Amino acid sequence: MQIGKVAEQAGVNTQTIRFYERSGLLNKPPRTQAGYRSYSPATVEVVRFIKQSQELGYTLAEVKQLISLHEHGSNGNEIRDLAAKKLRDIAERIDALVGMRQQLRSFLTSCNCGTPEQPGCPPIEKLDFSVPCHPVKLDRRK
């Protein structure tokens, strides 16, 4: 099966397939005599698994670990542990986002900035720029 067919059936583009190969998530397929990559039908399922795992918040490194555990016949405990860790990570991010939402609501409640009566922005002026900020990482890629 050629790369375009795999991409079509998996619902991704060909660059995604190539990226997954470079990242080590997909094994490099054999090539035909004409030099085309020749994928097995199972590749479609692996690509779908990768995309679904990413949608659940797994990083590519974690997806690679899940694939490895599956390929080596894990008894499931390690996979369950990874899922439990991911759930804890998501809960922590949600808590951080809730805190950010509360701070922004508070800011907007007290904000009448940009009006003739208040041309400046006192809430912003009250921020302590000398304190390092540690934003929540929402980027799935690590």
Side-chain angles (χ1 to χ4, degrees):
M1 181 182 304
Q2 289 186 353
I3 193 168
K5 191 71 167 172
V6 172
E8 178 185 327
Q9 289 183 10
V12 299
N13 62 50
T14 57
Q15 293 303 319
T16 301
I17 306 289
R18 290 185 183 108
F19 175 74
Y20 289 165
E21 284 179 24
R22 286 191 308 273
S23 300
L25 293 165
L26 291 176
N27 294 325
K28 294 194 185 290
R31 294 193 178 254
T32 65
Q33 286 186 336
Y36 293 108
R37 293 172 173 95
S38 179
Y39 296 91
S40 74
T43 305
V44 173
E45 298 305 316
V46 175
V47 172
R48 287 180 182 160
F49 174 82
I50 294 167
K51 294 306 292 178
Q52 289 170 353
S53 297
Q54 286 181 293
E55 289 170 5
L56 289 173
Y58 287 101
T59 64
L60 291 180
E62 291 167 334
V63 173
K64 193 173 189 176
Q65 189 176 4
L66 287 170
I67 291 169
S68 176
L69 289 170
H70 175 72
E71 288 175 347
H72 294 101
S74 170
N75 64 10
N77 288 335
E78 292 169 292
I79 293 171
R80 181 180 171 79
D81 290 346
L82 280 175
K85 180 184 180 309
K86 181 53 58 186
L87 189 58
R88 287 189 303 274
D89 292 347
I90 290 170
E92 288 173 10
R93 282 193 274 158
I94 289 170
D95 290 344
L97 288 169
V98 167
M100 291 165 55
R101 180 178 63 194
Q102 290 170 340
Q103 288 180 343
L104 285 170
R105 279 186 179 154
S106 175
F107 168 80
L108 289 173
T109 301
S110 66
C111 182
N112 60 351
C113 303
T115 63
E117 302 82 36
Q118 185 64 56
C121 187
I124 290 293
E125 293 164 4
K126 289 181 185 177
L127 291 177
D128 184 358
F129 289 99
S130 66
V131 177
C133 182
H134 302 287
V136 175
K137 290 183 182 178
L138 297 178
D139 187 19
R140 294 183 191 180
R141 299 167 289 166
K142 287 188 179 178

